[in-house]
Amino acid sequence: MKQIAKSAALIAAASGVVFGLVTPLTASAAGSSASLKWTKCEGEGLDPRQQCATLAVPMDYSDPGGPKIDIAVSRIPSEKPSARRGALLLIAGGPGGDSLGEPSDKGQRLPQRVRDTYDLIGFAPRGNAPSTPVSCEVEHRDLARTALRPWPAPDGSVTENMATARRISDACARNGGELMKHISTRNNARDIDSIRAALGERKLSAWGDSYGTYIGATFAELFPHRTDRIVLDSNDNPDPVRAERAWLESFEAGVEDNFPEFAKWASRPGNPDRVAGAPAEVRSRFLALAARLDREPLPWPGANPAELDGNGLRQTMLDSLYDPEDYPVLAKLMLAVGKGTLPPAPENPPEALVQNYTAVGAATICNDAAWPRSAAVYEKGVAESRAKYPLTAGMPRNAMVCAAWPWQPKEAPPRVTDRGPSNVLLIQNERDVATPLSGALKMREALGRRAVMVTVNSTGHGAYLENGNACGDATVSRFLATGERPPRDAYCK
């Protein structure tokens, strides 16, 4: 899943656009004009071509005549109307992220022929500001990265994690409002189909990233014949109800896949942030430093919490493995801990953004599938995980807010199948900390004949136009522009 700091920064963005020409995949520009009223976007750093609109959708799709909520939508039009095929929806990760600013950001990294082919569409999923927002107003201490990721106590105890789950759940029940009960992956997919209809598109193409792959796959499952070309990038394991809660458990394999790359970099001669003389020494050094901080945390003014303990170092490790460009963050912190003097605490995004992100993420995960309520379940899982995966110290099988969630899921979680047209391309880095290859292969298996998968010999989270390689990028760009996919699963060296 995407890091809170990176995803929350998108929440303040807004975007949108003017209408393109009618094509065979477009129902009618007039129809979309009646549904969406485009205006200038608020926010900084946006492409001047962007405009924004607001779409009203049912809060509860089983009661279409009931209360409505707003979904914020953005668009940049095709840059060559004569080549326009339709609309490409950008689906952000999270859960809790939004893509409102992405037509101006990642959308502009798309090659020209893709920007000619599509209007680029972004949106803020239900609950995300500036769509109708939610917030649990949780305590400041519970917004800490080491609280939102369920790191157990140094001895493996989950007592404090269960207490944190109860505090956050109680806050969501008290402050979240009725919308909190209706935020789910299924409803995100239904909102996407409402956006499609409001745009006047008969079919919709999509590029889903990270958790956005689960939304994209669910959209393709619920509305298979309203899909055009679907790209799923950095793929979630599509099974949310396994005993180990697959998306969180993925960090076990993800860290083990990625830490060796960090260790090679951090032991390289000439590296100014060199941690040790050999990769194996980097690993042992990290484990020793984390254990020392478990026993003797270091004061860290301005951080939340205001000290660095072993779990704080482990969380920094987790965040730094998302992108090799962030390796120096972890290395510098390890070196500082060794000296006993810490750098300034990292700057946090505005608390209101983190509150919003936290509420949407919790609601999505907990409303999709019920989690065990017994501390004993998590104690057993943590002990097994700590023994097998010491780098993650049991966190991936521990209790999150869902262990005390005040509501039961209203629907069964989405099940991804091979029913529908064969129009899906999966792109996946071989070494991805958040959505590892092992989980992506489960998505590939679930989609069956509908999909082709390209595995990329790269490290980091986010493959297409980010941490992948030229071979993978060219394959996805060709598919989006022409519809041509590899005839079978492929590997990009």
Side-chain angles (χ1 to χ4, degrees), residues 171-193:
C172 289
R174 186 170 58 250
N175 303 318
E178 185 67 19
L179 177 54
M180 288 290 292
K181 305 175 188 178
H182 300 280
I183 297 174
S184 68
T185 300
R186 282 184 179 271
N187 280 337
N188 281 333
R190 291 170 178 134
D191 290 342
I192 286 174
D193 194 55

Side-chain angles (χ1 to χ4, degrees), residues 37-72:
K37 300 185 184 303
W38 299 98
T39 61
K40 179 178 173 58
C41 294
E42 298 178 1
E44 299 179 356
L46 299 175
D47 189 299
R49 295 170 299 169
Q50 280 197 175
Q51 293 178 325
C52 291
T54 300
L55 173 66
V57 302
M59 181 166 64
D60 181 352
Y61 277 91
S62 69
D63 181 20
K68 300 293 192 293
I69 60 171
D70 288 339
I71 302 294

Side-chain angles (χ1 to χ4, degrees), residues 261-263 265-266 268 271-275 313 316-317 319-336 343:
E261 299 300 309
F262 167 75
W265 173 88
R268 189 175 299 151
N271 182 349
D273 299 315
R274 192 182 191 194
V275 170
L313 182 64
T316 300
M317 176 265 295
D319 291 342
S320 297
L321 295 184
Y322 273 71
D323 188 334
E325 291 185 0
D326 293 332
Y327 285 172
V329 176
L330 175 57
K332 289 179 188 298
L333 188 58
M334 290 176 65
L335 292 169

